[in-house]
Amino acid sequence: MMMLLSFVIGASVSSFCQVIGYRLPKKLSFIRGRSYCPHCLTSLRWYELIPIVSFVIQFGRCRTCQRKIPKLHVILEIGMGLLFSINFLILGMSIEFVMACLLFALLCIVFVTDILYMTIPNRVLLVFFPLFLAYQLIHPLYQWWEPVVGSLTGMLIVAIVILISKGGMGGGDMKFMAVLGSLLGPQRVLLTFVLACFIGAMIGFYLISFKNWETIRPMPFAPSIVMAVILTFYFGEQMFALYISLFT
């Protein structure tokens, strides 16, 4: 029962985070105002806003104009539902579970904003950064200095890439990694960056090879960071153990 409830909560949080990701960069309120179809601007009824269910019932189309609803919406809802369920299975109902869910909420918002607008809003990072620091004070995962070092590490490795590549990455990525470093610590944020570069390279190769993506067209990097954080969160310890067994 709690697993199912966790899934429903995760899907609902994803739906709300997508609204934030869509509206915040456009300076629209994500609290006031009813949701609407971006094509015909028709306000959506309550039964059109049920995560996953509404998409399935409406066959993935707007009830009014019959334009297709992007599949990314339902993919993110299902993904967040599964992640929340896995978090509950691993962590139970605990402060660690709450913080893990907050982390994935941040990842969802940043994923949407970078995909749609190639930007990571400072206001989002400024909300989550103190929450992560407060969590480290209440329930420390590392030594007291590691969140600070982790934040600086995340910021500096991206800053170095920006300087070397002369703008190959953006300031938003740098600040995003700094916020993540405050929760993950220096080792995990380094692992996250390495994995993100690998994932980004694979995505870039796929787009250029199979989707005729122009090589000069900029590609958002935050989605690669998001996927890397998820891998690090669940499999970081195993990756470190594998590295130690192979190279020491």
Side-chain angles (χ1 to χ4, degrees), residues 207-208 211-218:
L207 292 175
I208 293 171
K211 296 295 183 180
N212 297 319
W213 189 281
E214 299 176 15
T215 55
I216 59 173
R217 185 177 176 182

Side-chain angles (χ1 to χ4, degrees), residues 16-25 108-109 112-113 116-117:
F16 181 63
C17 288
Q18 290 183 63
V19 172
I20 296 174
Y22 177 77
R23 294 188 183 185
L24 190 60
C108 184
I109 296 171
V112 172
T113 60
L116 294 181
Y117 308 107

Side-chain angles (χ1 to χ4, degrees), residues 75-76 79-80 82-84 86-87 90 100 103-108 111 176 180 184 188 191-193 195-196 199 222-239:
I75 290 173
L76 288 176
M80 282 278 280
L82 291 174
L83 290 173
F84 273 45
I86 294 170
N87 289 342
I90 296 173
L103 170 62
F104 288 130
L106 169 63
L107 297 182
C108 184
F111 185 94
F176 184 35
L180 293 173
L184 299 176
R188 286 176 177 266
L191 176 61
T192 295
F193 182 74
L195 290 174
I199 293 170
S224 299
I225 297 176
V226 168
M227 288 183 275
V229 171
I230 294 172
L231 289 174
T232 301
F233 184 84
Y234 290 118
F235 305 108
E237 293 297 330
Q238 292 87 336
M239 291 180 186

Side-chain angles (χ1 to χ4, degrees), residues 23-40:
R23 294 188 183 185
L24 190 60
K26 299 174 71 172
K27 298 182 179 180
L28 299 173
S29 173
F30 53 84
I31 298 176
R32 295 190 301 271
R34 295 180 62 179
S35 296
Y36 55 88
C37 172
H39 301 295
C40 64

